Amino acid sequence: MLYPRMSSGRMVFDLNGIWDFKLLEKTGTEREHAGLHLTGGRAMPVPSSYNDIYPEKDFADHVGEMVYQRTFTVTESMKKGRLVLRFGSVTHQAEVYLNGKRLGEHKGGFLPFSFEIAEQAVVGENLLTVFVNNIVDYSTLPCGRMVTEEFPGLEPRTVNLPNFDFYNYTGIMRPVWLYTTPVVYIRDITVSGKKDGSFAWDIEVSGEEEENAEVQVRVLEMNGACVYEGSGKSGSGKIENVKLWSVKEPNLYQLEVRLKTGEAIEDAYTETFGFREISIENCRILLNGEPVYLKGFGKHEEGGTRGRGTDLALMTKDLGLLKWIHANSFRTSHYPNSEEMMQLCDKMGILVIDEAPAVGLNTGFTATGLLGGNPKGTWQTLETAQHHREVMEDLVARDKNHPCVIAWSVANEPASQEEGAKEYFEPLVRLTKEKDVQHRPVTIVTYEGSAPDTCKVAELCDFLMLNRYRGWYDTEGNLRGAAAKLKAELEGFHKRCPDKPMMLGEYGADTIAGLHDINARLFTEEYQTAFMKAYGEVFDSLPYITGEHVWVFADFATAENIKRVDGNKKGIFTRERRPKQAAYFLKERWENL
């Protein structure tokens, strides 16, 4: 799906701002009022997570549905071609009405969707109503479960327990646009460039006159200089003296596409891309034929007040901190990040492991993300398989052209040790590879319960990405013992999969900023630094380790529980983006690697 951009054939209108908002007591209600102006609501900024905007715990932790509403104006000229309403994301399910008429629905809270509305829209004022459902269950990604609690003398209480260790921020969390295109239009663009300067494109054209449409393409340097001209809905070419995209020099190019019918240019769109190649050889991930050691973090897209709402200032600051600490990469834990973040990573030279929102695929997880639930056989219980396929297709379709994306993560910490895991994931991995014309590496991030002798999915992965917390959730306080256990486990996986690169996808220790102890006790900044040092020594002793992603970039909000004091505190930075002591250790380590 193309990102909304102005061009000679397109107009783009921003529908962000203050909307009317109301929590609903029962799901599925008030649809008959979708064509009426909302009463008894509150002001709500879009994009944002709704949860932290107003005080009241019941407001923040509401389970079920809510409704957003605003008006917008349509002119006669806007209705002459296609008129499209596009949402960057609505978490987790959306049902959309225009002037009281249902446009449709969308399931999945971290990817874009759109509706053509030229027929439904009227010239003048239009009323847009969006019903949002924030429930996670065994059919959604991420997963959760509904539980009814009973207490003496009280009415039963229904709670929604996530199977994941982060707060269930919800709402219209990414930008909303209205845009126009001609009747015959550029529906999609696929473009990729290789390190030798060769490239290929494929243009999808739609509309009644598409068979008569002529496609012209130009490749431009970012300064506007044209370095190639061609034509055709698909084709290939080669550029001499190409400037490669890399971490140090993230050179970008633009593919300018023009769609003509007769002498007139009907539509135009410009897509950014880069020339670079990702490959695997000798237990190493290669960028442009050279080994690259991945240094960075698992990273949430989250901060105060806006929750997971798109915040351009915060995401730019975060990438600045990544550069400061000499990181070169992160994983979009545990869901696709915004399109704006992908664009920034392209521009700033950040390598991204792009992860699906498939977290909590383990019926043994509790709301804290720790073991202790009621496992019934994950792969016989979950109802996510078809939705998971749709999400992987949409994720690859959205991010396929970004040079920053170097790999796909199909899931985080599933029950990959259980029978049925291979059968669940094998078609998903295959589908991801088929949909990606660049054939980037694919992985499944596994947890401690999936050991070298029990993991059912290791052979499906192009590289192994392991989450391990020796020295925290076990062997706590004993870093020598933790390092020994970690090294033995990594050696076990290497013996099983000797040709696969391996990296840590998560490792860390909860740390209270400002808490110090001369003996480096648990929760102190000294222990976090010693923890990082112990793990680094293990990595340096094993030649097949191809990267290290610390958990986590910054402290973040979680479900309320006694194992989390005001959220997860494993951040190398605080939630306000202030560095802890370990940040300076990692800065020096990563600068010298």
Side-chain angles (χ1 to χ4, degrees), residues 143-155:
C143 289
R145 62 188 187 276
M146 296 291 288
V147 176
T148 299
E149 298 177 336
E150 296 185 0
F151 301 91
L154 300 179
E155 292 291 324

Side-chain angles (χ1 to χ4, degrees), residues 337-445:
N337 279 193
S338 68
E339 294 160 284
E340 293 80 9
M341 176 58 94
M342 297 296 100
Q343 294 163 9
L344 266 176
C345 289
D346 287 341
K347 187 178 183 67
M348 297 179 67
I350 303 294
L351 307 173
V352 176
I353 297 174
D354 207 353
E355 187 160 271
V359 58
L361 300 178
N362 189 328
T363 54
F365 274 144
T366 68
T368 67
L370 305 179
L371 291 174
N374 182 25
K376 299 178 182 179
T378 298
W379 310 112
Q380 290 74 46
T381 303
L382 295 184
E383 301 169 357
T384 55
Q386 180 57 38
H387 179 47
H388 205 156
R389 287 178 61 87
E390 294 165 356
V391 164
M392 293 313 303
E393 289 181 352
D394 290 348
L395 175 58
V396 174
R398 193 196 75 165
D399 291 346
K400 61 182 180 294
N401 296 333
H402 288 288
C404 69
V405 176
I406 62 166
W408 310 103
S409 170
V410 177
N412 176 73
E413 297 192 352
S416 52
Q417 81 286 1
E418 289 186 22
E419 292 295 335
K422 180 183 178 186
E423 292 75 13
Y424 180 91
F425 282 109
E426 191 167 27
L428 286 168
V429 171
R430 183 168 59 248
L431 175 69
T432 305
K433 291 176 179 290
E434 290 172 354
K435 293 298 180 180
D436 180 19
V437 297
Q438 296 186 33
H439 305 297
R440 280 166 276 215
V442 178
T443 194
I444 301 164
V445 184

